[in-house]
Amino acid sequence: MTLRRHTLALFTLLLALPLAATAQAPTKIRVGVEGNYPPFSRMGADGKLSGFDIDMANALCAQMKIECTLVQQEWDGMMPALNAKKFDMIVASMTITDERKKAADFSDPYYNKDSEVLLVNKETDVYMELLAGRGDIGFGSSVVSGEAFLKKPEGKAFAQIGPAVNLDGGSGVGIGFRRGDDALRERVNAALKAIRASGQYKKMADSYFDFDVTPN
């Protein structure tokens, strides 16, 4: 009788293991976003976040059937906040580079942002240098320059010219994860593929950009 009870208890425990493993899949995650990088992310006067990165984060969470909370974070503190577990992944137009791979893992690219490293404090300073006549050509994000400069009155005398210049060492823009968080990264990659296959990705991108940002 004792042996049968032990066998029954062991059998019950083994049956419970798959259920426990399933229960560990996250149902809620926090997503780090920037909020000051239009048209990818911006904070409206009403305090609501919008932009391509925001739409992408929400679409991924809906595809994965995960409840997401968007956490606004200044760009300079984005990677430290991820590793301090302030949020679980970054959707903030972060270019995938070898240097960043030392601190985080990345999803497959979700768009290509053409840009070059600038010898200024921030990208908007490039436009100020052009307006002041201290520069003839400025390198920056083709998307952001259109939104923040070329479409405004002060940018009417300027235009984008020549072929795109890819960021040195970059391999597209991806979603960042803490090192070793492979389960979440694989779920996001699967969701990215599903969003592209369904046509939802193109619909979102076309609402922000008049050129193709789809990664290869």
Side-chain angles (χ1 to χ4, degrees):
M1 182 66 68
T2 303
L3 178 60
R4 290 180 61 188
R5 282 201 296 268
H6 288 174
T7 303
L8 180 61
L10 177 60
F11 181 65
T12 304
L13 177 61
L14 290 174
L15 285 177
L17 287 177
L19 297 176
T22 302
Q24 289 174 0
T27 58
K28 297 181 180 180
I29 60 173
R30 296 156 299 166
V31 183
V33 297
E34 207 262 351
N36 190 31
Y37 195 56
F40 298 100
S41 63
R42 60 165 65 87
M43 177 71 77
D46 57 359
K48 293 183 178 180
L49 289 159
S50 63
F52 182 66
D53 281 340
I54 307 304
D55 287 354
M56 178 58 68
N58 288 328
L60 288 170
C61 292
Q63 181 66 40
M64 296 186 293
K65 295 180 172 57
I66 293 178
E67 181 183 337
C68 283
T69 300
L70 301 182
V71 180
Q72 187 181 15
Q73 172 66 49
E74 292 296 324
W75 175 256
D76 291 344
M78 194 69 73
M79 199 70 80
L82 172 69
N83 289 311
K85 299 186 178 182
K86 183 177 179 180
F87 36 78
D88 306 296
M89 67 185 199
I90 297 171
V91 185
S93 294
M94 184 170 283
T95 304
I96 304 168
T97 65
D98 289 339
E99 187 64 27
R100 286 183 178 141
K101 286 180 181 178
K102 297 176 183 177
D105 289 336
F106 286 89
S107 69
D108 297 334
Y110 69 98
Y111 80 87
N112 287 326
K113 183 168 70 68
D114 305 316
S115 58
E116 180 59 85
V117 177
L118 306 175
L119 297 178
V120 291
N121 290 329
K122 53 187 177 180
E123 188 167 334
T124 52
D125 290 348
V126 175
Y127 317 137
M128 299 303 296
E129 295 296 307
L130 292 173
L131 287 170
R134 291 188 289 267
D136 300 308
I137 298 175
F139 285 93
S141 165
S142 57
V143 180
V144 176
S145 63
E147 186 78 12
F149 182 55
L150 297 177
K151 292 181 181 179
K152 294 186 176 181
E154 57 268 30
K156 287 185 176 180
F158 298 85
Q160 292 179 2
I161 60 172
V165 178
N166 290 320
L167 182 68
D168 184 31
S171 54
V173 172
I175 297 163
F177 306 90
R178 284 184 292 275
R179 294 292 301 272
D181 196 352
D182 296 335
L184 180 57
R185 180 175 56 82
E186 289 170 4
R187 290 186 70 183
V188 168
N189 280 338
L192 278 172
K193 289 181 175 67
I195 289 169
R196 288 183 63 175
S198 70
Q200 184 180 2
Y201 178 92
K202 186 177 187 303
K203 185 177 180 181
M204 288 192 303
D206 287 349
S207 69
Y208 291 99
F209 316 120
D210 55 8
F211 53 90
D212 188 17
V213 298
T214 308
N216 297 326

